[in-house]
């Protein structure tokens, strides 16, 4: 009887730990530069999703370091050639967050992005306008000078998170996660 109670307690603790270690990403809605409305994670379920968030100019500059490496590694079409079997089935969204008085400048920033960004990136840049508090609290966004990058599993749960500029080791960690599926 004692062993059964201990086993049940252990199972409960492990399931509780897993629930805390893989928290659900909060709903975030916006419009891409390609003029599509997207809500993460509800519109991205069924695929891994990489989400990069920035809510200051400094953070946005560092978030930009992620664009090309992530696009090249996870999104670019390898065609029907030798590497076509190595393609990843992953959603990718880079999200500049316009909050408070900065919300008014989101339209101008989207127009600028449409003109200056490679059109291949347009579907992957999602503009968010609204409150920041929910995301600061639930995602522990503590430093507005850094971008935050999250990988969500197929159910919208966070399986990886990092902050700061892109590095080859961070990309490798993300690749390990999405290729393990």
């Amino acid at each position: 009887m004692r062993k059964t109670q201990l086993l049940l307690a252990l199972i409960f603790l492990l399931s509780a730990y897993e629930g805390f270690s893989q928290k659900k990403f909060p709903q975030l809605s916006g419009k891409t530069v390609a003029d599509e409305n997207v809500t993460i994670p509800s519109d991205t379920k069924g695929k891994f999703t990489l989400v990069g968030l920035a809510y200051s100019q400094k953070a946005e500059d560092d978030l930009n370091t992620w664009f090309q490496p992530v696009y090249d590694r996870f999104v670019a079409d390898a065609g029907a050639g030798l590497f076509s079997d190595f393609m990843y089935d992953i959603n990718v969204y880079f999200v500049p967050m316009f909050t408070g008085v900065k919300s008014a400048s989101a339209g101008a920033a989207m127009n600028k992005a449409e003109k200056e960004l490679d059109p291949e990136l347009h579907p992957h840049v999602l503009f968010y306008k609204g409150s920041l508090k929910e995301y600061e609290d639930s995602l522990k966004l503590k430093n507005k000078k850094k971008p935050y990058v999250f990988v969500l599993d197929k159910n919208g749960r966070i399986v990886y998170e990092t902050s700061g500029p892109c590095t080859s080791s961070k990309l490798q960690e993300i690749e390990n996660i999405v290729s393990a599926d």
Side-chain angles (χ1 to χ4, degrees):
M1 180 75 166
R2 180 100 168 111
K3 287 182 182 179
T4 303
Q5 288 176 330
L6 186 58
L7 182 60
L8 288 174
L10 184 59
I11 290 170
F12 174 77
L13 287 173
L14 286 174
S15 64
Y17 173 75
E18 184 172 312
F20 288 118
S21 67
Q22 290 188 341
K23 64 185 172 195
K24 188 115 169 134
F25 191 83
Q27 293 284 336
L28 184 144
S29 297
K31 185 175 281 217
T32 67
V33 177
D35 201 33
E36 296 173 48
N37 291 313
V38 175
T39 299
I40 301 168
S42 61
D43 292 342
T44 61
K45 286 190 176 173
K47 293 169 86 170
F48 280 101
T49 301
L50 183 145
V51 182
L53 304 175
Y55 58 103
S56 74
Q57 185 59 53
K58 169 62 176 133
E60 196 172 323
D61 292 343
D62 281 348
L63 185 63
N64 289 341
T65 68
W66 287 86
F67 282 22
Q68 202 63 52
V70 166
Y71 182 82
D72 290 346
R73 190 171 290 196
F74 300 110
V75 179
D77 184 10
L82 179 62
F83 298 106
S84 62
D85 288 341
F86 297 106
M87 292 301 297
Y88 297 98
D89 192 19
I90 182 171
N91 297 301
V92 173
Y93 293 101
F94 297 105
V95 185
M97 302 178 84
F98 291 83
T99 63
V101 295
K102 293 180 182 176
S103 293
S105 63
M110 187 181 285
N111 290 337
K112 182 179 177 184
E114 185 175 14
K115 291 175 185 157
E116 294 180 2
L117 277 179
D118 181 333
E120 296 282 329
L121 292 173
H122 288 186
H124 305 285
V125 178
L126 181 69
F127 281 80
Y128 167 80
K129 290 188 329 184
S131 174
L132 183 63
K133 179 137 180 62
E134 174 187 0
Y135 305 102
E136 283 179 315
D137 292 346
S138 65
L139 299 173
K140 310 288 188 250
L141 308 180
K142 296 190 185 314
N143 187 343
K144 73 178 190 175
K145 293 180 181 179
K146 291 182 181 181
Y148 292 85
V149 175
F150 301 89
V151 175
L152 315 182
D153 69 9
K154 295 177 181 185
N155 295 309
R157 296 202 176 279
I158 300 168
V159 293
Y160 175 80
E161 57 188 278
T162 189
S163 63
C166 183
T167 66
S168 58
S169 63
K170 291 174 185 176
L171 280 176
Q172 187 59 53
E173 287 182 62
I174 293 168
E175 186 170 17
N176 291 344
I177 292 166
V178 300
S179 64
D181 186 47

